[in-house]
């Protein structure tokens, strides 16, 4: 029988299942459930955070560049890191970053606002570039990025007193103004020829924008170069009316190999010469009076010097009359005591087939007859208030320095040069100095310049009317001046500090910076007291011969100490190498010089130019190429008549007639090179 439940259909059952109480044993199950729920929530949160992180990571990538809060890295197509830059002036707030097509943009650090972006540019299939800009919005805060240089060998930047190839940085240096300086008297500074451009063996290049108040430092323990922009405690100045807010902007480009990326950078970012200097400058040596006579030059000595050049049957592109031919520095008329018949002297030299150039400089000493009038006319660089001329000390005294931003000062200086040319038939000028270390730390000019090195640029422009035969020793953005550039005076020593060994690294560095018409200073060095190897006032005989041989394979040769100061053997060696220079070297150099106008490619090239993947070639600093098909290996050690030579793969014929057909690079150990020889190899 069925049991009838009280309440009928739809009623509630109150006594079928008795109510149970929770016991003490059931409480862990509740806790486990709570923990499980928490873990599920945590897992979901982590997953969401992970997805957000992936999206942020993707946001902070552009092509082969990865950005993080402390810097960025760039990889090559193979995935290897080729460039790393760390931010030392702040930590990016990544939540403030956004990506618009090929631009990464951030507007804050962790403690302040800023303007920061990285823009990707792909100018050609084989090159990837990144434009980077960090701009502070608060005055006097420096911007500093730190580039790691341990991934590769680096080249470029500036000439230096101790020159190595590739760059060798020693010790620690806080960022200092990257401006031109006379490294003969300031040996720890940057040299007179510089550009804010560096190139690495892993096919990466960096070019700092010219508008940046750029300071450079380094730490060789960390293998780091510091790129800093600042106005505080600096000779750089913002434009009038602008707040001194620092901006560091630059371009990093990555290519397939070191040669191709350099070719791209030169074509894109460097000035090019618009003409080739006079052909005779490449063919025949210049003869300068400086190392032989210093300031004691006079009319009789100059005429005797010229007569001896003819007597010993040497060619001459021109004679260079160097220093103290005027009574006072800043005068532009010959000293009547030292040169009693200057006009007749010039006529005699001209009739004997000599062109003559004169040494000049931007200084007017306080005792010059021109000083007072130039002060009255306001043609000197001035102290910061602009009311008084800034007195400067240079190696020949104290005086004013002409303000080449001032059109009136430029015209006055030019008029003096034109008068010398008109009166005496002077062919050209040796423009000495021009470096910014001869400006006061704080100064003012007629027309504002943000970058002190722009003064160097303005000075080099004075050589343009004479660039067929002119000579400059300083340069900044001056490649298009189209004349010969000379590195600072060399000492008559063997080593890397302004000696013979420094010559190839210096010339290669200048070439990489876009200056291709190079005059490698005087054969044997300048024979300065206490800076000369040997027991006489002359450079050491062996040093002189080795220097002569190397100079014969440079774009131009320059004698001062003449070979007849030694003996007949040295004279014969000099004749041999001036003939080799004219017959073998000059034709190749002139052909390459014509190409420079379009390409900017070096005339004097490192070995890696034709051996781009060769680790050994990246480090060789005692051999070089003229173009792609003439390799030179001079002896640079005293007492040596042999040397090790590195031959890149290819088909080479030595100066002795030996043939090398090699598929791999070849080391020639203890290759014999007599005192009157220099090893060179021609591509066949």
């Amino acid at each position: 029988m069925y049991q009838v439940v009280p309440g009928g259909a739809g009623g509630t059952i109150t006594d079928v299942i008795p109510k149970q109480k929770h016991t003490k044993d059931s409480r862990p199950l509740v806790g486990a459930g709570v923990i499980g729920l928490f873990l599920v929530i945590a897992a979901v949160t982590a997953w969401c955070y992970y997805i957000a992180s992936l999206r942020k990571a993707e946001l902070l990538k552009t092509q082969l560049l990865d950005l993080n809060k402390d810097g960025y890295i760039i990889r090559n197509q193979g995935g290897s890191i080729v460039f790393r830059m760390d931010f030392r002036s702040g930590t990016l707030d990544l939540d403030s970053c956004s990506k618009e097509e090929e631009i990464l943009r951030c507007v804050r650090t962790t403690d302040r606002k800023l303007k920061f972006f990285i823009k990707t540019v792909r100018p050609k299939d084989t090159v990837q570039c990144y434009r980077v800009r960090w701009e502070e919005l608060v005055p006097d805060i420096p911007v500093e990025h730190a580039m790691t240089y341990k991934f590769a060998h680096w080249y470029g930047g500036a000439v230096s007193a101790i020159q190595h190839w590739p760059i060798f940085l020693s010790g620690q240096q806080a960022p200092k103004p990257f401006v031109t300086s006379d490294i003969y008297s300031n040996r720890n500074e940057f040299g007179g020829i510089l550009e804010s451009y560096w190139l690495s063996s892993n096919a990466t290049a960096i070019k700092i924008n010219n508008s940046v108040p750029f300071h450079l430092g380094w730490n060789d323990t960390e293998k780091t170069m510091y790129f800093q922009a600042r106005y505080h405690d600096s000779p750089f100045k913002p434009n009038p009316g602008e707040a001194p807010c620092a901006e560091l902007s630059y371009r990093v480009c990555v290519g397939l190999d070191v040669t191709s990326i350099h070719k791209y950078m030169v074509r894109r970012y460097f000035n090019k010469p618009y003409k080739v200097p006079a052909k005779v400058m490449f063919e025949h040596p210049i003869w300068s009076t400086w190392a032989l006579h210093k300031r004691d030059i006079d009319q009789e000595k100059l005429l005797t010097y010229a007569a001896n050049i003819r007597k010993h049957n040497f060619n001459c592109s021109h004679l260079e009359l160097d220093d103290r031919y005027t009574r006072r520095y800043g005068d532009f008329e010959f000293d009547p005591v030292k040169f009693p018949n200057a006009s007749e002297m010039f006529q005699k030299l001209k009739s004997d087939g000599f062109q003559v150039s004169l040494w000049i400089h931007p200084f007017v000493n306080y005792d010059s007859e021109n000083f007072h009038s130039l002060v009255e006319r306001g043609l000197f660089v001035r102290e910061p208030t602009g009311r008084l001329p800034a007195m400067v000390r240079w190696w020949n005294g104290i005086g004013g320095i002409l303000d080449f931003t001032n059109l009136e000062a430029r015209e006055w200086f030019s008029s003096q040069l034109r008068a010398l040319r008109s009166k005496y038939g002077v062919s050209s000028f040796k423009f000495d100095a021009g470096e910014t270390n001869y400006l006061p730390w704080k100064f003012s000019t007629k027309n504002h310049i943000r970058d002190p090195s722009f003064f160097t640029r303005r000075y080099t422009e004075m050589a343009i009317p004479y660039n067929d035969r002119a000579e400059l020793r300083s340069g900044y953005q001056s490649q298009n001046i189209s004349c010969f550039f000379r590195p600072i005076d060399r000492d008559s020593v063997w080593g890397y500090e302004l000696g013979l060994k420094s010559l190839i690294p210096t010339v290669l560095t200048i070439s990489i910076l876009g200056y291709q018409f190079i005059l490698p200073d005087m054969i044997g060095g300048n024979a300065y007291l206490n800076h000369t190897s040997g027991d006489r006032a002359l450079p050491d005989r062996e040093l002189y011969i080795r220097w002569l041989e190397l100079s014969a394979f440079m774009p131009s040769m320059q004698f001062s100490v003449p070979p007849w100061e030694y003996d007949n053997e040295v004279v014969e060696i000099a004749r041999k190498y001036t003939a080799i220079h004219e017959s073998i070297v000059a034709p190749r150099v002139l052909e390459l010089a014509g190409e420079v106008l379009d390409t900017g490619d070096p005339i004097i090239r490192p070995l890696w130019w034709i051996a781009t993947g060769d680790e050994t070639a990246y480090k060789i600093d005692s051999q070089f190429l003229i173009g792609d098909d003439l390799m030179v290996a001079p002896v640079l050690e005293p007492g040596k008549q042999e040397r090790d030579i590195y031959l890149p793969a290819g088909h080479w014929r030595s100066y002795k007639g030996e043939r090398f057909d090699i598929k791999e690079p070849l080391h020639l150990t203890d290759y014999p090179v007599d005192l009157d020889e220099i090893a060179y190899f021609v591509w066949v």
Side-chain angles (χ1 to χ4, degrees):
M1 293 182 64
Y2 294 101
Q3 182 180 8
V4 178
V5 179
T12 57
I13 300 174
T14 59
D15 56 355
V16 176
I17 302 176
K19 186 176 181 181
Q20 296 181 355
K21 293 182 179 180
H22 291 294
T23 66
K24 192 173 183 180
D25 293 339
S26 69
R27 290 175 185 174
L29 297 175
V30 176
V34 172
I35 293 172
L37 179 62
F38 175 78
L39 291 175
V40 169
I41 293 171
V44 171
T45 302
W47 176 257
C48 293
Y49 182 79
Y50 173 69
I51 295 299
S53 298
L54 288 178
R55 289 173 179 168
K56 177 61 73 175
E58 187 64 29
L59 170 71
L60 299 179
K61 289 178 180 288
T62 175
Q63 299 296 332
L64 301 173
L65 181 146
D66 295 348
L67 175 68
N68 61 63
K69 61 185 177 63
D70 298 314
Y72 61 90
I73 60 172
I74 300 174
R75 303 177 188 273
N76 61 17
Q77 294 290 345
S80 300
I81 296 175
V82 294
F83 188 83
R84 174 178 171 177
M85 189 74 86
D86 295 321
F87 305 144
R88 291 171 56 92
S89 47
T91 301
L92 289 179
D93 178 356
L94 297 184
D95 289 332
S96 77
C97 300
S98 60
K99 185 176 181 181
E100 303 170 13
E101 296 182 347
E102 297 299 326
I103 300 178
L104 290 175
R105 196 182 305 274
C106 305
V107 297
R108 289 196 311 273
T109 66
T110 53
D111 63 357
R112 64 187 183 276
K113 293 182 178 180
L114 85 161
K115 293 181 180 179
F116 172 84
F117 74 79
I118 298 178
K119 181 178 181 180
T120 303
V121 181
R122 194 173 183 87
K124 53 192 299 187
D125 290 342
T126 57
V127 176
Q128 183 79 54
C129 292
Y130 305 90
R131 291 178 54 201
V132 182
R133 178 177 174 179
W134 179 305
E135 181 182 355
E136 291 291 347
L137 303 179
V138 178
D140 294 327
I141 295 179
V143 182
E144 186 171 316
H145 292 181
M147 183 189 80
T148 301
Y149 63 83
K150 65 182 178 181
F151 297 120
H153 306 290
W154 285 85
Y155 314 91
V159 296
S160 58
I162 302 175
Q163 195 83 52
H164 291 284
W165 179 272
I167 293 170
F168 175 78
L169 298 174
S170 177
Q172 300 179 19
Q173 172 63 56
K176 60 182 179 180
F178 191 69
V179 295
T180 59
S181 184
D182 174 353
I183 52 172
Y184 196 85
S185 56
N186 301 274
R187 299 205 173 191
N188 293 321
E189 300 302 319
F190 305 114
I193 299 175
L194 58 71
E195 303 290 336
S196 52
Y197 168 73
W198 288 266
L199 172 74
S200 81
S201 58
N202 62 13
T204 305
I206 181 168
K207 175 70 176 71
I208 311 296
N209 288 358
N210 295 332
S211 61
V212 172
F214 184 53
H215 298 66
L216 179 66
W218 58 85
N219 184 320
D220 73 340
T221 302
E222 299 176 355
K223 303 302 179 187
T224 299
M225 294 172 66
Y226 304 136
F227 296 159
Q228 187 189 77
R230 76 169 192 260
Y231 289 111
H232 176 68
D233 189 29
S234 170
F236 289 88
K237 296 173 285 189
N239 287 328
E242 287 185 0
C245 295
E247 171 198 316
L248 181 61
S249 54
Y250 53 88
R251 289 167 171 81
V252 180
C253 293
V254 182
L256 295 180
D257 60 68
V258 60
T259 302
S260 63
I261 193 63
H262 178 67
K263 287 184 175 183
Y264 168 77
M265 298 297 285
V266 168
R267 285 156 177 73
R268 179 68 179 83
Y269 298 116
F270 283 7
N271 293 323
K272 313 286 188 306
Y274 68 91
K275 61 175 287 189
V276 177
K279 182 181 178 183
V280 69
M281 287 281 289
F282 296 91
E283 295 176 329
H284 299 160
I286 300 164
W287 295 80
S288 170
T289 63
W290 171 249
L292 184 63
H293 293 298
K294 304 295 192 296
R295 298 178 184 87
D296 293 331
I297 189 64
D298 58 31
Q299 180 172 319
E300 181 180 355
K301 290 175 181 175
L302 180 61
L303 290 172
T304 300
Y305 191 53
N308 281 328
I309 294 170
R310 295 185 68 200
K311 174 184 174 183
H312 291 92
N313 297 315
F314 284 98
N315 289 320
C316 175
S317 65
H318 63 258
L319 272 176
E320 195 169 78
L321 176 52
D322 198 332
D323 209 333
R324 210 56 195 255
Y325 54 88
T326 61
R327 292 179 63 227
R328 299 179 180 88
Y329 294 106
D331 295 352
F332 284 84
E333 187 50 80
F334 279 83
D335 182 342
V337 175
K338 298 177 74 175
F339 296 87
N341 299 293
S343 294
E344 292 181 12
M345 178 188 74
F346 274 91
Q347 291 173 3
K348 167 64 175 170
L349 291 170
K350 184 178 180 180
S351 67
D352 288 341
F354 289 100
Q355 301 271 3
V356 181
S357 67
L358 298 179
W359 171 82
I360 55 168
H361 52 83
F363 308 102
V364 179
N365 280 7
Y366 67 87
D367 59 351
S368 167
E369 61 185 20
N370 292 314
F371 182 79
H372 181 72
S373 65
L374 294 174
V375 170
E376 292 295 318
R377 295 170 63 182
L379 303 189
F380 289 130
V381 172
R382 302 185 183 193
E383 44 78 42
T385 69
R387 292 193 296 267
L388 297 172
M391 299 298 286
V392 300
R393 181 182 295 277
W394 63 297
W395 66 90
N396 278 330
I398 298 174
I401 183 168
L402 288 165
D403 179 2
F404 292 101
T405 75
N406 185 336
L407 289 177
E408 188 178 352
R410 293 164 67 89
E411 176 53 34
W412 181 85
F413 187 73
S414 294
S415 69
Q416 307 304 311
L417 305 189
R418 289 195 300 268
L420 287 168
R421 170 173 274 188
S422 174
K423 185 172 183 179
Y424 298 109
V426 172
S427 65
S428 191
F429 299 92
K430 172 183 177 178
F431 292 79
D432 216 352
E435 300 91 349
T436 64
N437 67 291
Y438 292 111
L439 298 171
W441 179 253
K442 297 292 185 180
F443 64 93
S444 63
T445 50
K446 176 74 172 179
N447 292 299
H448 178 81
I449 52 175
R450 297 176 56 151
D451 182 344
S453 292
F454 198 67
F455 179 86
T456 299
R457 163 69 197 192
R458 284 285 179 250
Y459 177 59
T460 62
E461 291 169 355
M462 306 310 297
I464 291 175
Y466 309 97
N467 56 15
D468 267 358
R469 298 171 182 267
E471 171 188 329
L472 284 159
R473 85 169 195 192
S474 58
Y476 175 67
Q477 301 176 37
S478 303
Q479 297 92 340
N480 59 351
I481 301 302
S482 305
C483 69
F484 273 88
F485 285 81
R486 172 183 65 88
I488 196 71
D489 301 12
R490 303 288 108 174
D491 286 329
S492 300
V493 296
W494 289 90
Y496 284 104
E497 183 172 349
L498 298 179
L500 178 60
K501 284 186 180 179
S502 74
L503 207 56
I504 295 174
T506 299
V507 170
L508 289 174
T509 298
I510 294 172
S511 295
I512 288 298
L513 298 180
Y515 298 86
Q516 310 309 343
F517 308 138
I518 301 171
L519 179 63
D521 203 37
M522 300 168 191
I523 292 167
N526 285 259
Y528 291 131
L529 187 65
N530 300 324
H531 293 278
T532 299
S533 295
D535 55 5
R536 297 195 295 159
L538 294 175
D540 174 75
R541 181 179 184 274
E542 182 187 7
L543 173 70
Y544 183 88
I545 292 170
R546 293 305 191 190
W547 206 307
L548 163 63
E549 292 163 353
L550 172 55
S551 292
F553 286 82
M554 290 290 166
S556 187
M557 299 179 71
Q558 185 177 47
F559 285 100
S560 185
V561 173
W564 52 85
E565 288 290 316
Y566 294 94
D567 51 52
N568 288 334
E569 183 184 10
V570 176
V571 171
E572 288 303 317
I573 293 172
R575 289 198 187 106
K576 171 184 175 180
Y577 281 98
T578 54
I580 287 175
H581 179 81
E582 183 176 356
S583 62
I584 296 176
V585 178
R588 279 179 167 81
V589 169
L590 281 165
E591 181 181 357
L592 294 164
E595 297 174 5
V596 166
L597 308 186
D598 296 322
T599 67
D601 289 345
I603 293 173
I604 304 298
R605 300 172 180 176
L607 258 60
W608 51 249
W609 193 266
I610 61 170
T612 55
D614 189 333
E615 176 65 22
T616 301
Y618 293 142
K619 297 179 288 185
I620 290 178
D621 67 352
S622 63
Q623 298 175 220
F624 61 93
L625 297 163
I626 302 175
D628 290 345
D629 58 359
L630 178 56
M631 195 273 288
V632 186
V635 173
L636 304 175
E637 298 278 354
K640 296 287 187 179
Q641 295 199 22
E642 68 282 323
R643 64 156 294 164
D644 295 344
I645 295 174
Y646 187 75
L647 272 183
H651 308 281
W652 300 97
R653 185 180 66 246
S654 78
Y655 69 105
K656 300 177 181 180
E658 304 153 309
R659 182 73 179 254
F660 299 90
D661 296 304
I662 49 178
K663 295 182 179 180
E664 298 290 336
L666 177 66
H667 286 272
L668 301 176
T669 304
D670 291 333
Y671 187 82
V673 186
D674 291 343
L675 181 60
D676 66 342
E677 293 180 332
I678 182 172
Y680 63 94
F681 300 76
V682 178
W683 183 277
V684 291

